[in-house]
Amino acid sequence: MKKNTVEEQVHPFNFLQKKFFLSNATNEMAFFPQMPKEQITFFLNQAFTKKKKITLQLNQLKNRSYLTEATGYIRYTPFKKSQIVLENPLTHVTYLIHPSDIRYIRLP
C-alpha cells in the first residue's frame, strides 16, 4: 500500500474526478477532426434508433481551454428544442448537449 507523504500532494476530490466528471485532460484523449453536420446528424439518428452507446467529443467552449468527451445513450427529449439528451447509466449522469458543440462521434 502506498503512503502519502508531504512531497506527494493528493487532491481531496481526485477520486470523484475519475468516477463522475468528464475527462478534461487533452493528453489523455485523441484529438479528432470536426465532422460535417450531415454526418453528425446521421450518426446521432443511428445511435438513437439502434440504441447504441456512443462517445461525443465536444468542441472547446469559450470558458474552457480543453476538449471534453461524454459517453452514453441518446434519449428522447420531450421538448422541441435542438438539444441532445445523453444519459450514462453507469455514472447516473445526464448531459444536455447542443448539436453545434459536437466535434466527433465514435463508438466507445
Side-chain angles (χ1 to χ4, degrees), residues 35-104:
M35 294 175 84
K37 290 181 183 180
E38 297 83 17
Q39 193 175 19
I40 289 173
T41 304
F42 176 75
F43 285 147
L44 290 174
N45 286 331
Q46 290 292 315
F48 178 72
T49 56
K50 295 182 180 182
K51 298 178 182 171
K52 293 285 186 177
K53 186 175 185 180
I54 59 170
T55 299
L56 303 176
Q57 188 175 77
L58 305 176
N59 286 319
Q60 293 177 347
L61 301 176
K62 293 177 186 175
N63 57 352
R64 294 185 185 162
S65 62
Y66 51 85
L67 293 173
T68 56
E69 285 188 347
T71 302
Y73 297 93
I74 295 178
R75 298 292 178 227
Y76 173 74
T77 176
F79 308 110
K80 297 240 178 198
K81 295 183 179 179
S82 61
Q83 288 182 336
I84 298 165
V85 178
L86 189 74
E87 292 182 352
N88 190 334
L90 295 176
T91 58
H92 304 289
V93 177
T94 302
Y95 304 98
L96 293 176
I97 301 170
H98 195 272
S100 64
D101 292 337
I102 298 174
R103 177 178 194 79
Y104 194 85

